[in-house]
Amino acid sequence: MTLAEKLAQDWKSRLEKDCQDENSSTHQSVVRWLLGHQPDRFDTLHPTQLAIATGAIDFLYRILISRYLGLPPEQAYRNLIGRLGGLVVLRQKIQAWVSLSRDRQRSVVDVLQEVIQEMLNSDRYLQQQIAWIAECTSDRRLRNSLLLATVEEYCLRPIRNQPLLVYRFVNYLRRSQRGGLTQVPAGDWVRLVSEQVLPDDTDEPVSLLDEQAMSDYVETEAWEERQAQRQIVQAEFEAYLAAQVDPLASQWLRLYLQGRSQEAIAEALNVPIKQIYRLREKVSYHAIRVFAVKQSPELVASWLETSLQEHSLGLTPSQWEQYWQNLTDAQRHLIESLKAGKSVETIASELKLKTNQVIGEWTKLYLAAQSLRNDRS
């Protein structure tokens, strides 16, 4: 038995256990879809690569069964829009754009639907996946479920600390400014998805701008490696929070990384909103205090939108100016060096300090920024 055959057998057994209401044909189609059109590639991977690849499959599988498989198309579609619409950074960008546009009556959902529809029409990767799904099954409802799961997974891929969908929204703005809005009626969207999943004999649509975005931001193997790293760091950090801080802090992190608002997290955990904000600051504090000396402080900071490089420590422009004016020359040098990507060891050598002193100074700087953020809220 090849490794691909063993994986297929394992996934079929898992589907039979998790999805007993689905028939054998559905199980076989889902397994084929999960393993991809070149399942023999698994036999050529070394253990680390195999762990990353199987982790990516597991992530896609959980998306499928939690929100799409076996559901009516309308409900599955609402789940997709709800999941992607919950991305805080995207929602903020869309709201800012709508407020500046001539049509201020449009909602986040309206714009989000158009962005996704445009991706289905022009994105080369999604076009390839549409064709692959059509090879895996002739069941129209299953095709729709597989496509929606594919769209969610693709849109959530972390590119430069932001979901890929954010970059697609920027591309959408460029196109809409040139050619006008697509104005896809919400009621027709599911029908269009179902039609899109059926390939025809026409040439695959190609967008030069989308090709450029693909080459700039997307490379499958690199994404799988980043995804596996994120999952490892998340698991380690959740375990630390549960053991050393508060089990609720671990639950807060898991819900926050799902894109939920603070209000939604408070409702899910059944705790007052003030306690949720305190949990957020605890998680942020411990991310810096602990993970600053471990493997991925920048990843945790980007989750919390308090990274130095991408989010200016979570400060507004006026707060950052106030913060910067209160720093010494040495502290400014430390901040600029970290933003430039220098290692702690290099900075310590430049400042003629010990590594622990640099870490301690950086912790003080972060906590000072946290205090300013608290004043804002």
PDB file of all heavy atoms in Angstrom, residues 56 59-60 87 125 129 150-167 214 217-221 223-224 226-227 230:
ATOM      1  N   ALA A  56      -2.345  20.749   6.621  1.00  0.00           N
ATOM      2  CA  ALA A  56      -3.143  21.604   5.746  1.00  0.00           C
ATOM      3  C   ALA A  56      -4.431  20.902   5.314  1.00  0.00           C
ATOM      4  O   ALA A  56      -5.496  21.516   5.224  1.00  0.00           O
ATOM      5  CB  ALA A  56      -2.314  22.008   4.527  1.00  0.00           C
ATOM      6  N   PHE A  59      -6.882  20.976   8.190  1.00  0.00           N
ATOM      7  CA  PHE A  59      -7.472  22.314   8.312  1.00  0.00           C
ATOM      8  C   PHE A  59      -8.623  22.473   7.315  1.00  0.00           C
ATOM      9  O   PHE A  59      -9.716  22.945   7.659  1.00  0.00           O
ATOM     10  CB  PHE A  59      -6.381  23.350   8.059  1.00  0.00           C
ATOM     11  CG  PHE A  59      -6.848  24.778   8.149  1.00  0.00           C
ATOM     12  CD1 PHE A  59      -7.373  25.287   9.321  1.00  0.00           C
ATOM     13  CD2 PHE A  59      -6.736  25.625   7.052  1.00  0.00           C
ATOM     14  CE1 PHE A  59      -7.797  26.603   9.405  1.00  0.00           C
ATOM     15  CE2 PHE A  59      -7.153  26.936   7.129  1.00  0.00           C
ATOM     16  CZ  PHE A  59      -7.686  27.429   8.306  1.00  0.00           C
ATOM     17  N   LEU A  60      -8.406  22.060   6.067  1.00  0.00           N
ATOM     18  CA  LEU A  60      -9.440  22.158   5.042  1.00  0.00           C
ATOM     19  C   LEU A  60     -10.625  21.256   5.367  1.00  0.00           C
ATOM     20  O   LEU A  60     -11.791  21.638   5.184  1.00  0.00           O
ATOM     21  CB  LEU A  60      -8.834  21.779   3.688  1.00  0.00           C
ATOM     22  CG  LEU A  60      -9.734  21.884   2.456  1.00  0.00           C
ATOM     23  CD1 LEU A  60     -10.271  23.304   2.300  1.00  0.00           C
ATOM     24  CD2 LEU A  60      -8.964  21.475   1.210  1.00  0.00           C
ATOM     25  N   LEU A  87     -13.908  38.882   9.619  1.00  0.00           N
ATOM     26  CA  LEU A  87     -12.498  39.278   9.643  1.00  0.00           C
ATOM     27  C   LEU A  87     -12.403  40.774   9.938  1.00  0.00           C
ATOM     28  O   LEU A  87     -12.805  41.608   9.127  1.00  0.00           O
ATOM     29  CB  LEU A  87     -11.835  38.962   8.298  1.00  0.00           C
ATOM     30  CG  LEU A  87     -11.780  37.477   7.907  1.00  0.00           C
ATOM     31  CD1 LEU A  87     -11.235  37.320   6.497  1.00  0.00           C
ATOM     32  CD2 LEU A  87     -10.937  36.690   8.897  1.00  0.00           C
ATOM     33  N   TYR A 125      -6.156  30.290  -9.430  1.00  0.00           N
ATOM     34  CA  TYR A 125      -6.156  29.168  -8.487  1.00  0.00           C
ATOM     35  C   TYR A 125      -7.570  28.635  -8.287  1.00  0.00           C
ATOM     36  O   TYR A 125      -7.803  27.417  -8.323  1.00  0.00           O
ATOM     37  CB  TYR A 125      -5.564  29.603  -7.147  1.00  0.00           C
ATOM     38  CG  TYR A 125      -5.687  28.541  -6.074  1.00  0.00           C
ATOM     39  CD1 TYR A 125      -4.787  27.482  -6.010  1.00  0.00           C
ATOM     40  CD2 TYR A 125      -6.722  28.588  -5.137  1.00  0.00           C
ATOM     41  CE1 TYR A 125      -4.906  26.492  -5.043  1.00  0.00           C
ATOM     42  CE2 TYR A 125      -6.850  27.604  -4.164  1.00  0.00           C
ATOM     43  CZ  TYR A 125      -5.941  26.565  -4.120  1.00  0.00           C
ATOM     44  OH  TYR A 125      -6.069  25.586  -3.166  1.00  0.00           O
ATOM     45  N   GLN A 129      -9.293  24.970  -9.048  1.00  0.00           N
ATOM     46  CA  GLN A 129     -10.005  24.184  -8.042  1.00  0.00           C
ATOM     47  C   GLN A 129     -11.424  23.859  -8.495  1.00  0.00           C
ATOM     48  O   GLN A 129     -11.950  22.777  -8.195  1.00  0.00           O
ATOM     49  CB  GLN A 129     -10.029  24.941  -6.709  1.00  0.00           C
ATOM     50  CG  GLN A 129      -8.661  25.079  -6.068  1.00  0.00           C
ATOM     51  CD  GLN A 129      -7.972  23.739  -5.918  1.00  0.00           C
ATOM     52  OE1 GLN A 129      -8.496  22.812  -5.304  1.00  0.00           O
ATOM     53  NE2 GLN A 129      -6.773  23.614  -6.501  1.00  0.00           N
ATOM     54  N   THR A 150     -13.372  25.531  -0.201  1.00  0.00           N
ATOM     55  CA  THR A 150     -12.151  25.958  -0.892  1.00  0.00           C
ATOM     56  C   THR A 150     -11.992  27.463  -0.841  1.00  0.00           C
ATOM     57  O   THR A 150     -10.902  27.982  -0.580  1.00  0.00           O
ATOM     58  CB  THR A 150     -12.191  25.488  -2.363  1.00  0.00           C
ATOM     59  OG1 THR A 150     -12.235  24.060  -2.413  1.00  0.00           O
ATOM     60  CG2 THR A 150     -10.976  25.982  -3.123  1.00  0.00           C
ATOM     61  N   VAL A 151     -13.084  28.185  -1.075  1.00  0.00           N
ATOM     62  CA  VAL A 151     -13.039  29.656  -1.057  1.00  0.00           C
ATOM     63  C   VAL A 151     -12.647  30.162   0.325  1.00  0.00           C
ATOM     64  O   VAL A 151     -11.796  31.049   0.459  1.00  0.00           O
ATOM     65  CB  VAL A 151     -14.395  30.244  -1.490  1.00  0.00           C
ATOM     66  CG1 VAL A 151     -14.442  31.752  -1.230  1.00  0.00           C
ATOM     67  CG2 VAL A 151     -14.648  29.968  -2.975  1.00  0.00           C
ATOM     68  N   GLU A 152     -13.247  29.585   1.383  1.00  0.00           N
ATOM     69  CA  GLU A 152     -12.909  30.039   2.734  1.00  0.00           C
ATOM     70  C   GLU A 152     -11.436  29.795   3.040  1.00  0.00           C
ATOM     71  O   GLU A 152     -10.731  30.697   3.503  1.00  0.00           O
ATOM     72  CB  GLU A 152     -13.765  29.336   3.784  1.00  0.00           C
ATOM     73  CG  GLU A 152     -13.360  29.757   5.197  1.00  0.00           C
ATOM     74  CD  GLU A 152     -14.151  29.074   6.300  1.00  0.00           C
ATOM     75  OE1 GLU A 152     -15.340  28.774   6.094  1.00  0.00           O
ATOM     76  OE2 GLU A 152     -13.566  28.844   7.380  1.00  0.00           O
ATOM     77  N   GLU A 153     -10.973  28.571   2.795  1.00  0.00           N
ATOM     78  CA  GLU A 153      -9.569  28.247   3.094  1.00  0.00           C
ATOM     79  C   GLU A 153      -8.624  29.168   2.331  1.00  0.00           C
ATOM     80  O   GLU A 153      -7.644  29.678   2.877  1.00  0.00           O
ATOM     81  CB  GLU A 153      -9.306  26.783   2.742  1.00  0.00           C
ATOM     82  CG  GLU A 153      -7.880  26.311   3.009  1.00  0.00           C
ATOM     83  CD  GLU A 153      -6.971  26.557   1.823  1.00  0.00           C
ATOM     84  OE1 GLU A 153      -7.455  26.594   0.671  1.00  0.00           O
ATOM     85  OE2 GLU A 153      -5.763  26.742   2.072  1.00  0.00           O
ATOM     86  N   TYR A 154      -8.927  29.408   1.071  1.00  0.00           N
ATOM     87  CA  TYR A 154      -8.070  30.252   0.228  1.00  0.00           C
ATOM     88  C   TYR A 154      -8.071  31.696   0.720  1.00  0.00           C
ATOM     89  O   TYR A 154      -7.027  32.338   0.835  1.00  0.00           O
ATOM     90  CB  TYR A 154      -8.573  30.170  -1.206  1.00  0.00           C
ATOM     91  CG  TYR A 154      -7.715  30.886  -2.225  1.00  0.00           C
ATOM     92  CD1 TYR A 154      -6.361  30.582  -2.368  1.00  0.00           C
ATOM     93  CD2 TYR A 154      -8.278  31.846  -3.066  1.00  0.00           C
ATOM     94  CE1 TYR A 154      -5.593  31.224  -3.322  1.00  0.00           C
ATOM     95  CE2 TYR A 154      -7.514  32.487  -4.017  1.00  0.00           C
ATOM     96  CZ  TYR A 154      -6.168  32.178  -4.148  1.00  0.00           C
ATOM     97  OH  TYR A 154      -5.403  32.822  -5.085  1.00  0.00           O
ATOM     98  N   CYS A 155      -9.247  32.201   1.049  1.00  0.00           N
ATOM     99  CA  CYS A 155      -9.358  33.592   1.501  1.00  0.00           C
ATOM    100  C   CYS A 155      -8.654  33.831   2.831  1.00  0.00           C
ATOM    101  O   CYS A 155      -8.214  34.950   3.116  1.00  0.00           O
ATOM    102  CB  CYS A 155     -10.830  33.990   1.628  1.00  0.00           C
ATOM    103  SG  CYS A 155     -11.672  34.221   0.039  1.00  0.00           S
ATOM    104  N   LEU A 156      -8.557  32.801   3.671  1.00  0.00           N
ATOM    105  CA  LEU A 156      -7.954  32.955   4.995  1.00  0.00           C
ATOM    106  C   LEU A 156      -6.443  32.741   4.997  1.00  0.00           C
ATOM    107  O   LEU A 156      -5.803  32.920   6.037  1.00  0.00           O
ATOM    108  CB  LEU A 156      -8.594  31.972   5.977  1.00  0.00           C
ATOM    109  CG  LEU A 156     -10.068  32.203   6.301  1.00  0.00           C
ATOM    110  CD1 LEU A 156     -10.553  31.149   7.286  1.00  0.00           C
ATOM    111  CD2 LEU A 156     -10.302  33.590   6.859  1.00  0.00           C
ATOM    112  N   ARG A 157      -5.858  32.364   3.871  1.00  0.00           N
ATOM    113  CA  ARG A 157      -4.420  32.114   3.856  1.00  0.00           C
ATOM    114  C   ARG A 157      -3.662  33.353   4.337  1.00  0.00           C
ATOM    115  O   ARG A 157      -3.886  34.454   3.826  1.00  0.00           O
ATOM    116  CB  ARG A 157      -3.952  31.740   2.452  1.00  0.00           C
ATOM    117  CG  ARG A 157      -4.481  30.390   1.998  1.00  0.00           C
ATOM    118  CD  ARG A 157      -3.872  29.950   0.684  1.00  0.00           C
ATOM    119  NE  ARG A 157      -4.357  28.619   0.316  1.00  0.00           N
ATOM    120  CZ  ARG A 157      -3.876  27.924  -0.709  1.00  0.00           C
ATOM    121  NH1 ARG A 157      -2.906  28.419  -1.448  1.00  0.00           N
ATOM    122  NH2 ARG A 157      -4.371  26.732  -0.976  1.00  0.00           N
ATOM    123  N   PRO A 158      -2.783  33.178   5.310  1.00  0.00           N
ATOM    124  CA  PRO A 158      -2.078  34.352   5.850  1.00  0.00           C
ATOM    125  C   PRO A 158      -0.959  34.801   4.920  1.00  0.00           C
ATOM    126  O   PRO A 158       0.002  34.070   4.678  1.00  0.00           O
ATOM    127  CB  PRO A 158      -1.513  33.826   7.181  1.00  0.00           C
ATOM    128  CG  PRO A 158      -1.362  32.353   6.963  1.00  0.00           C
ATOM    129  CD  PRO A 158      -2.452  31.932   6.022  1.00  0.00           C
ATOM    130  N   ILE A 159      -1.079  35.997   4.399  1.00  0.00           N
ATOM    131  CA  ILE A 159      -0.071  36.577   3.516  1.00  0.00           C
ATOM    132  C   ILE A 159       0.403  37.876   4.144  1.00  0.00           C
ATOM    133  O   ILE A 159      -0.379  38.813   4.320  1.00  0.00           O
ATOM    134  CB  ILE A 159      -0.645  36.847   2.117  1.00  0.00           C
ATOM    135  CG1 ILE A 159      -1.322  35.601   1.549  1.00  0.00           C
ATOM    136  CG2 ILE A 159       0.450  37.354   1.183  1.00  0.00           C
ATOM    137  CD1 ILE A 159      -0.410  34.427   1.336  1.00  0.00           C
ATOM    138  N   ARG A 160       1.664  37.930   4.509  1.00  0.00           N
ATOM    139  CA  ARG A 160       2.223  39.132   5.132  1.00  0.00           C
ATOM    140  C   ARG A 160       1.378  39.585   6.322  1.00  0.00           C
ATOM    141  O   ARG A 160       1.006  40.750   6.461  1.00  0.00           O
ATOM    142  CB  ARG A 160       2.351  40.267   4.115  1.00  0.00           C
ATOM    143  CG  ARG A 160       3.309  39.958   2.967  1.00  0.00           C
ATOM    144  CD  ARG A 160       3.427  41.109   1.998  1.00  0.00           C
ATOM    145  NE  ARG A 160       4.297  40.762   0.881  1.00  0.00           N
ATOM    146  CZ  ARG A 160       4.543  41.557  -0.142  1.00  0.00           C
ATOM    147  NH1 ARG A 160       3.968  42.743  -0.205  1.00  0.00           N
ATOM    148  NH2 ARG A 160       5.346  41.175  -1.114  1.00  0.00           N
ATOM    149  N   ASN A 161       1.027  38.619   7.152  1.00  0.00           N
ATOM    150  CA  ASN A 161       0.291  38.872   8.398  1.00  0.00           C
ATOM    151  C   ASN A 161      -1.156  39.318   8.191  1.00  0.00           C
ATOM    152  O   ASN A 161      -1.791  39.805   9.123  1.00  0.00           O
ATOM    153  CB  ASN A 161       1.017  39.911   9.270  1.00  0.00           C
ATOM    154  CG  ASN A 161       2.319  39.377   9.820  1.00  0.00           C
ATOM    155  OD1 ASN A 161       2.437  38.193  10.108  1.00  0.00           O
ATOM    156  ND2 ASN A 161       3.300  40.240   9.946  1.00  0.00           N
ATOM    157  N   GLN A 162      -1.684  39.188   6.982  1.00  0.00           N
ATOM    158  CA  GLN A 162      -3.081  39.513   6.743  1.00  0.00           C
ATOM    159  C   GLN A 162      -3.704  38.419   5.882  1.00  0.00           C
ATOM    160  O   GLN A 162      -3.007  37.770   5.094  1.00  0.00           O
ATOM    161  CB  GLN A 162      -3.222  40.863   6.041  1.00  0.00           C
ATOM    162  CG  GLN A 162      -2.758  42.043   6.866  1.00  0.00           C
ATOM    163  CD  GLN A 162      -3.181  43.354   6.250  1.00  0.00           C
ATOM    164  OE1 GLN A 162      -4.345  43.727   6.271  1.00  0.00           O
ATOM    165  NE2 GLN A 162      -2.223  44.076   5.703  1.00  0.00           N
ATOM    166  N   PRO A 163      -5.024  38.212   5.997  1.00  0.00           N
ATOM    167  CA  PRO A 163      -5.671  37.220   5.143  1.00  0.00           C
ATOM    168  C   PRO A 163      -5.537  37.604   3.670  1.00  0.00           C
ATOM    169  O   PRO A 163      -5.596  38.781   3.318  1.00  0.00           O
ATOM    170  CB  PRO A 163      -7.144  37.268   5.587  1.00  0.00           C
ATOM    171  CG  PRO A 163      -7.110  37.878   6.951  1.00  0.00           C
ATOM    172  CD  PRO A 163      -5.959  38.836   6.947  1.00  0.00           C
ATOM    173  N   LEU A 164      -5.392  36.602   2.810  1.00  0.00           N
ATOM    174  CA  LEU A 164      -5.285  36.861   1.380  1.00  0.00           C
ATOM    175  C   LEU A 164      -6.467  37.669   0.872  1.00  0.00           C
ATOM    176  O   LEU A 164      -6.317  38.478  -0.057  1.00  0.00           O
ATOM    177  CB  LEU A 164      -5.181  35.522   0.638  1.00  0.00           C
ATOM    178  CG  LEU A 164      -5.065  35.583  -0.880  1.00  0.00           C
ATOM    179  CD1 LEU A 164      -4.102  34.518  -1.391  1.00  0.00           C
ATOM    180  CD2 LEU A 164      -6.426  35.380  -1.550  1.00  0.00           C
ATOM    181  N   LEU A 165      -7.641  37.478   1.467  1.00  0.00           N
ATOM    182  CA  LEU A 165      -8.835  38.190   1.016  1.00  0.00           C
ATOM    183  C   LEU A 165      -8.654  39.706   1.092  1.00  0.00           C
ATOM    184  O   LEU A 165      -9.238  40.446   0.293  1.00  0.00           O
ATOM    185  CB  LEU A 165     -10.049  37.768   1.853  1.00  0.00           C
ATOM    186  CG  LEU A 165     -11.403  38.352   1.446  1.00  0.00           C
ATOM    187  CD1 LEU A 165     -11.723  38.025  -0.002  1.00  0.00           C
ATOM    188  CD2 LEU A 165     -12.501  37.842   2.365  1.00  0.00           C
ATOM    189  N   VAL A 166      -7.848  40.181   2.022  1.00  0.00           N
ATOM    190  CA  VAL A 166      -7.598  41.627   2.121  1.00  0.00           C
ATOM    191  C   VAL A 166      -6.920  42.136   0.853  1.00  0.00           C
ATOM    192  O   VAL A 166      -7.269  43.193   0.320  1.00  0.00           O
ATOM    193  CB  VAL A 166      -6.741  41.943   3.355  1.00  0.00           C
ATOM    194  CG1 VAL A 166      -6.322  43.414   3.369  1.00  0.00           C
ATOM    195  CG2 VAL A 166      -7.502  41.597   4.627  1.00  0.00           C
ATOM    196  N   TYR A 167      -5.961  41.372   0.333  1.00  0.00           N
ATOM    197  CA  TYR A 167      -5.286  41.775  -0.893  1.00  0.00           C
ATOM    198  C   TYR A 167      -6.229  41.695  -2.087  1.00  0.00           C
ATOM    199  O   TYR A 167      -6.159  42.519  -3.004  1.00  0.00           O
ATOM    200  CB  TYR A 167      -4.057  40.890  -1.127  1.00  0.00           C
ATOM    201  CG  TYR A 167      -3.002  41.065  -0.071  1.00  0.00           C
ATOM    202  CD1 TYR A 167      -2.901  40.174   0.991  1.00  0.00           C
ATOM    203  CD2 TYR A 167      -2.123  42.142  -0.105  1.00  0.00           C
ATOM    204  CE1 TYR A 167      -1.941  40.332   1.973  1.00  0.00           C
ATOM    205  CE2 TYR A 167      -1.161  42.315   0.877  1.00  0.00           C
ATOM    206  CZ  TYR A 167      -1.077  41.412   1.918  1.00  0.00           C
ATOM    207  OH  TYR A 167      -0.134  41.596   2.892  1.00  0.00           O
ATOM    208  N   MET A 214      -1.008  36.898  -7.669  1.00  0.00           N
ATOM    209  CA  MET A 214      -0.667  35.520  -7.346  1.00  0.00           C
ATOM    210  C   MET A 214       0.846  35.351  -7.196  1.00  0.00           C
ATOM    211  O   MET A 214       1.324  34.721  -6.268  1.00  0.00           O
ATOM    212  CB  MET A 214      -1.183  34.583  -8.450  1.00  0.00           C
ATOM    213  CG  MET A 214      -2.694  34.407  -8.458  1.00  0.00           C
ATOM    214  SD  MET A 214      -3.268  33.392  -7.085  1.00  0.00           S
ATOM    215  CE  MET A 214      -2.757  31.786  -7.676  1.00  0.00           C
ATOM    216  N   TYR A 217       2.007  37.203  -3.903  1.00  0.00           N
ATOM    217  CA  TYR A 217       1.535  36.847  -2.573  1.00  0.00           C
ATOM    218  C   TYR A 217       1.315  35.354  -2.315  1.00  0.00           C
ATOM    219  O   TYR A 217       1.206  34.939  -1.166  1.00  0.00           O
ATOM    220  CB  TYR A 217       0.208  37.571  -2.290  1.00  0.00           C
ATOM    221  CG  TYR A 217       0.286  39.062  -2.395  1.00  0.00           C
ATOM    222  CD1 TYR A 217      -0.584  39.753  -3.218  1.00  0.00           C
ATOM    223  CD2 TYR A 217       1.238  39.763  -1.677  1.00  0.00           C
ATOM    224  CE1 TYR A 217      -0.505  41.130  -3.320  1.00  0.00           C
ATOM    225  CE2 TYR A 217       1.320  41.139  -1.777  1.00  0.00           C
ATOM    226  CZ  TYR A 217       0.442  41.817  -2.595  1.00  0.00           C
ATOM    227  OH  TYR A 217       0.531  43.178  -2.687  1.00  0.00           O
ATOM    228  N   VAL A 218       1.200  34.550  -3.376  1.00  0.00           N
ATOM    229  CA  VAL A 218       0.774  33.165  -3.163  1.00  0.00           C
ATOM    230  C   VAL A 218       1.814  32.184  -3.676  1.00  0.00           C
ATOM    231  O   VAL A 218       2.234  32.276  -4.809  1.00  0.00           O
ATOM    232  CB  VAL A 218      -0.574  32.892  -3.874  1.00  0.00           C
ATOM    233  CG1 VAL A 218      -1.007  31.453  -3.634  1.00  0.00           C
ATOM    234  CG2 VAL A 218      -1.622  33.842  -3.375  1.00  0.00           C
ATOM    235  N   GLU A 219       2.220  31.276  -2.828  1.00  0.00           N
ATOM    236  CA  GLU A 219       3.070  30.155  -3.233  1.00  0.00           C
ATOM    237  C   GLU A 219       2.726  29.023  -2.276  1.00  0.00           C
ATOM    238  O   GLU A 219       2.902  29.119  -1.075  1.00  0.00           O
ATOM    239  CB  GLU A 219       4.538  30.566  -3.126  1.00  0.00           C
ATOM    240  CG  GLU A 219       5.463  29.716  -3.981  1.00  0.00           C
ATOM    241  CD  GLU A 219       5.720  28.383  -3.332  1.00  0.00           C
ATOM    242  OE1 GLU A 219       6.023  28.365  -2.132  1.00  0.00           O
ATOM    243  OE2 GLU A 219       5.588  27.348  -4.006  1.00  0.00           O
ATOM    244  N   THR A 220       2.188  27.964  -2.832  1.00  0.00           N
ATOM    245  CA  THR A 220       1.515  26.957  -2.013  1.00  0.00           C
ATOM    246  C   THR A 220       2.410  26.355  -0.936  1.00  0.00           C
ATOM    247  O   THR A 220       2.010  26.248   0.228  1.00  0.00           O
ATOM    248  CB  THR A 220       0.978  25.826  -2.914  1.00  0.00           C
ATOM    249  OG1 THR A 220       0.099  26.400  -3.879  1.00  0.00           O
ATOM    250  CG2 THR A 220       0.241  24.786  -2.090  1.00  0.00           C
ATOM    251  N   GLU A 221       3.605  25.946  -1.282  1.00  0.00           N
ATOM    252  CA  GLU A 221       4.452  25.300  -0.294  1.00  0.00           C
ATOM    253  C   GLU A 221       4.796  26.247   0.846  1.00  0.00           C
ATOM    254  O   GLU A 221       4.810  25.849   2.014  1.00  0.00           O
ATOM    255  CB  GLU A 221       5.732  24.796  -0.960  1.00  0.00           C
ATOM    256  CG  GLU A 221       5.493  23.623  -1.901  1.00  0.00           C
ATOM    257  CD  GLU A 221       6.783  23.105  -2.484  1.00  0.00           C
ATOM    258  OE1 GLU A 221       7.851  23.629  -2.109  1.00  0.00           O
ATOM    259  OE2 GLU A 221       6.730  22.191  -3.315  1.00  0.00           O
ATOM    260  N   TRP A 223       2.983  28.721   1.848  1.00  0.00           N
ATOM    261  CA  TRP A 223       1.792  28.903   2.666  1.00  0.00           C
ATOM    262  C   TRP A 223       1.623  27.735   3.626  1.00  0.00           C
ATOM    263  O   TRP A 223       1.319  27.926   4.805  1.00  0.00           O
ATOM    264  CB  TRP A 223       0.544  29.017   1.801  1.00  0.00           C
ATOM    265  CG  TRP A 223      -0.685  28.977   2.653  1.00  0.00           C
ATOM    266  CD1 TRP A 223      -1.225  29.994   3.376  1.00  0.00           C
ATOM    267  CD2 TRP A 223      -1.496  27.822   2.930  1.00  0.00           C
ATOM    268  NE1 TRP A 223      -2.308  29.556   4.079  1.00  0.00           N
ATOM    269  CE2 TRP A 223      -2.501  28.234   3.831  1.00  0.00           C
ATOM    270  CE3 TRP A 223      -1.460  26.507   2.502  1.00  0.00           C
ATOM    271  CZ2 TRP A 223      -3.470  27.363   4.295  1.00  0.00           C
ATOM    272  CZ3 TRP A 223      -2.423  25.637   2.970  1.00  0.00           C
ATOM    273  CH2 TRP A 223      -3.417  26.077   3.855  1.00  0.00           C
ATOM    274  N   GLU A 224       1.798  26.497   3.134  1.00  0.00           N
ATOM    275  CA  GLU A 224       1.624  25.333   3.997  1.00  0.00           C
ATOM    276  C   GLU A 224       2.593  25.392   5.176  1.00  0.00           C
ATOM    277  O   GLU A 224       2.241  25.049   6.303  1.00  0.00           O
ATOM    278  CB  GLU A 224       1.825  24.049   3.195  1.00  0.00           C
ATOM    279  CG  GLU A 224       0.686  23.760   2.214  1.00  0.00           C
ATOM    280  CD  GLU A 224       0.869  22.441   1.489  1.00  0.00           C
ATOM    281  OE1 GLU A 224       1.991  21.894   1.533  1.00  0.00           O
ATOM    282  OE2 GLU A 224      -0.098  21.966   0.877  1.00  0.00           O
ATOM    283  N   ARG A 226       3.923  28.134   6.519  1.00  0.00           N
ATOM    284  CA  ARG A 226       3.472  29.186   7.438  1.00  0.00           C
ATOM    285  C   ARG A 226       2.262  28.723   8.237  1.00  0.00           C
ATOM    286  O   ARG A 226       2.149  29.001   9.429  1.00  0.00           O
ATOM    287  CB  ARG A 226       3.119  30.455   6.660  1.00  0.00           C
ATOM    288  CG  ARG A 226       4.318  31.243   6.171  1.00  0.00           C
ATOM    289  CD  ARG A 226       3.900  32.619   5.701  1.00  0.00           C
ATOM    290  NE  ARG A 226       2.953  32.548   4.591  1.00  0.00           N
ATOM    291  CZ  ARG A 226       3.314  32.530   3.312  1.00  0.00           C
ATOM    292  NH1 ARG A 226       4.585  32.558   2.986  1.00  0.00           N
ATOM    293  NH2 ARG A 226       2.409  32.482   2.365  1.00  0.00           N
ATOM    294  N   GLN A 227       1.353  28.024   7.556  1.00  0.00           N
ATOM    295  CA  GLN A 227       0.148  27.550   8.243  1.00  0.00           C
ATOM    296  C   GLN A 227       0.502  26.582   9.363  1.00  0.00           C
ATOM    297  O   GLN A 227      -0.031  26.662  10.473  1.00  0.00           O
ATOM    298  CB  GLN A 227      -0.789  26.874   7.240  1.00  0.00           C
ATOM    299  CG  GLN A 227      -2.130  26.453   7.828  1.00  0.00           C
ATOM    300  CD  GLN A 227      -2.972  27.631   8.240  1.00  0.00           C
ATOM    301  OE1 GLN A 227      -2.829  28.725   7.710  1.00  0.00           O
ATOM    302  NE2 GLN A 227      -3.848  27.430   9.208  1.00  0.00           N
ATOM    303  N   ARG A 230       2.016  28.494  12.248  1.00  0.00           N
ATOM    304  CA  ARG A 230       0.989  29.208  13.013  1.00  0.00           C
ATOM    305  C   ARG A 230       0.249  28.248  13.950  1.00  0.00           C
ATOM    306  O   ARG A 230      -0.043  28.584  15.093  1.00  0.00           O
ATOM    307  CB  ARG A 230      -0.005  29.888  12.061  1.00  0.00           C
ATOM    308  CG  ARG A 230       0.562  31.075  11.309  1.00  0.00           C
ATOM    309  CD  ARG A 230      -0.383  31.523  10.222  1.00  0.00           C
ATOM    310  NE  ARG A 230      -1.579  32.134  10.781  1.00  0.00           N
ATOM    311  CZ  ARG A 230      -1.699  33.434  11.011  1.00  0.00           C
ATOM    312  NH1 ARG A 230      -0.695  34.244  10.781  1.00  0.00           N
ATOM    313  NH2 ARG A 230      -2.807  33.933  11.501  1.00  0.00           N
TER     314      ARG A 230
END
